[in-house]
């Protein structure tokens, strides 16, 4: 039951993480820093690079949420457990978005132009992705009600 509740909580935490600030960035610290979230980042991308916007939208929003919905359905016996490997792939794809954010932060910091700071939303979003991976593993490892180990 705890596994189910933790998985259901991700359905609430993901949307919060999408709107939470991932980082604060600015050209010069004296002008203040703009907060960037998954949603504001996507809005900016749609205006400049549609292909990258589609990729990031899939990695940041659809992959982790579909994986979590799938896990919920498996845990409640509404989806066949044979789909767990596919759900795990979706979870791993979601880690690609965390990697992209980390690369962007590293590039900006190494160039030395402007200021960039990580914000609490990055940790929340990363935590959601990692929790989803762990919950997927635990779902796979937990025998279902009515199943007997042979």
């Amino acid at each position: 039951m705890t596994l189910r509740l933790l998985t259901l909580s991700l359905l609430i935490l993901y949307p919060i993480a999408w709107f939470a600030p991932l980082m604060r960035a600015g050209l010069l610290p004296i002008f203040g820093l703009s907060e960037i979230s998954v949603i504001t980042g996507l809005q900016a991308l749609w205006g400049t690079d549609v292909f990258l916007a589609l990729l990031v939208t899939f990695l940041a929003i659809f992959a982790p949420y579909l994986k979590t919905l799938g896990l919920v359905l498996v845990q409640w016996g509404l989806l066949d457990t044979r789909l767990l490997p596919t759900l795990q792939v979706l979870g791993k794809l979601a880690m690609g978005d965390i990697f992209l954010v980390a690369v962007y932060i590293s590039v900006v910091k190494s160039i030395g132009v402007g200021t960039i700071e990580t914000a609490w939303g990055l940790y929340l979003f990363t935590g959601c992705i990692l929790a989803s991976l762990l919950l997927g593993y635990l779902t796979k490892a937990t025998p279902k009600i009515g199943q007997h180990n042979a």
Side-chain angles (χ1 to χ4, degrees), residues 32-138:
L33 301 175
S34 300
E35 289 188 340
I36 300 167
S37 67
V38 170
I39 299 300
T40 60
L42 285 173
Q43 288 171 335
L45 275 177
W46 280 106
T48 58
D49 190 338
V50 175
F51 176 74
L52 187 58
L54 285 170
L55 178 65
V56 173
T57 299
F58 177 75
L59 293 175
I61 295 178
F62 291 113
Y65 213 73
L66 286 174
K67 188 232 176 155
T68 304
L69 283 172
L71 277 179
V72 167
L73 293 173
V74 167
Q75 291 169 353
W76 290 86
L78 300 172
L79 190 64
D80 195 327
T81 57
R82 290 179 289 178
L83 289 174
L84 280 171
T86 302
L87 296 176
Q88 291 298 83
V89 169
L90 283 174
K92 290 175 183 172
L93 286 174
M95 282 303 294
D97 196 57
I98 300 295
F99 175 74
L100 286 174
V101 172
V103 167
Y104 296 148
I105 290 171
S106 298
V107 167
V108 170
K109 285 189 173 196
S110 68
I111 292 173
V113 176
T115 302
I116 192 162
E117 300 172 354
T118 56
W120 64 273
L122 180 62
Y123 300 106
L124 176 61
F125 187 62
T126 304
C128 286
I129 299 292
L130 293 175
S132 176
L133 291 172
L134 178 64
L135 291 169
Y137 173 75
L138 293 174

